[in-house]
Structure formats: structure tokens, C-alpha cells
Amino acid sequence: GNWLEFDMPRVFWYSSAALVLSSIGMHWAYLAARRDQLRTMRVAITATFVLGVAFLVMQFMGWRELVAMNVYFGGETANPSGSFLYVLTGVHGAHLISGLIVLLFALVAAFRYQIHGKSMLQMEMCATYWHFLDVLWLYLFVFLLVNH
């Protein structure tokens, strides 16, 4: 009965674009590793990491925008739709932080010449997880847009 309808924070659109770009960067890193273009791979992993951090910053900005619209998490002034949005974006953000940690490990491995055309397991796992996070966010974002 107290389900509140509100507009999705505009910054979530920008954060979604940043995450899609980061997924493109991750694929670029993967292709560079397969071709033994190690310098390009390092640049691409770094770009992916920066875009991932930008996504998290924009998610936080989206939460601030929600608070400005009087949409809160928990407490007497909360509503189920707002709380639902905070939970979904927060859990995804936590998983993205773990993805950033995985990216850091891959970047360190790249500088130690442990990722290259003949040693791709770490890069494949990193890319798979990162792309999963991207697709999951796009699904969640569309779901939230349709059901807000």
C-alpha cells in the first residue's frame, strides 16, 4: 500500500554507459592478451578498472539523488520500492568491488608477464566475471526501469 513511485536517478543512465564501456575495455584487454600485446592489455585493464570505479561513484551519486527525492532505505520514512532499489544496487555494487579486486590481480599479473597468449586462464576468468557483472547490471537496470 505504501509503494512509492519515483523517477530513476538520471546518473544511473550514465553509470550504465560507463559499465558497458568497461566491458568493451575488458574485451579489448582479452584480445590484446591473446595477441601478446602486453602494453595494450595493461592499458585496457587499467581503463576497465577506472570505468568500474566511475560506475561505483555514480551509483553513490544516484543514492544521493534518491535521498534528495525523499526516497530512503529502512526506517519509518522508507518505502518498499526505495528499499528494494537500494538493496539491488548495493548488492551489485558489492559484487563490482570484488570485480575490481579481481581486475587489480589481473593487472599485477599482466605487469609480471603472467598473462599472455599461452597463459590466458586468469584473463578468461576475469573477463567472464566482469562481463557477467555488466550483463547483470543491464538486466537489473531494465527491470528497475520497468517496475519502478
Side-chain angles (χ1 to χ4, degrees):
N2 65 343
W3 193 268
L4 175 68
E5 292 202 18
F6 52 88
D7 291 328
M8 188 69 65
R10 185 177 205 100
V11 72
F12 282 1
W13 287 94
Y14 302 127
S15 67
S16 298
L19 200 57
V20 168
L21 289 173
S22 76
S23 201
I24 291 168
M26 187 72 246
H27 189 66
W28 180 33
Y30 174 81
L31 292 176
R34 272 190 29 204
R35 296 179 185 135
D36 286 327
Q37 298 170 336
L38 304 181
R39 178 171 154 63
T40 301
M41 176 186 59
R42 292 180 197 127
V43 169
I45 292 173
T46 302
T48 301
F49 183 85
V50 169
L51 287 165
V53 170
F55 173 85
L56 287 176
V57 168
M58 286 185 266
Q59 291 295 103
F60 181 74
M61 291 167 59
W63 284 4
R64 290 180 58 187
E65 202 173 315
L66 287 169
V67 169
M69 292 187 286
N70 295 319
V71 177
Y72 301 103
F73 176 78
E76 293 177 21
T77 58
N79 64 77
S81 59
S83 295
F84 189 62
L85 181 61
Y86 281 107
V87 167
L88 286 179
T89 57
V91 169
H92 183 266
H95 285 95
L96 199 96
I97 290 169
S98 69
L100 290 172
I101 293 168
V102 170
L103 278 174
L104 283 177
F105 278 102
L107 187 60
V108 168
F111 275 101
R112 292 182 177 170
Y113 301 101
Q114 295 171 337
I115 298 175
H116 49 79
K118 294 184 180 181
S119 180
M120 291 289 294
L121 181 62
Q122 185 173 6
M123 179 58 79
E124 289 169 352
M125 291 188 324
C126 186
T128 299
Y129 187 64
W130 197 261
H131 293 314
F132 168 75
L133 289 172
D134 185 24
V135 170
L136 179 62
W137 172 252
L138 293 176
Y139 172 80
L140 287 173
F141 186 59
V142 170
F143 175 82
L144 292 169
L145 284 173
V146 170
N147 295 296
H148 81 280

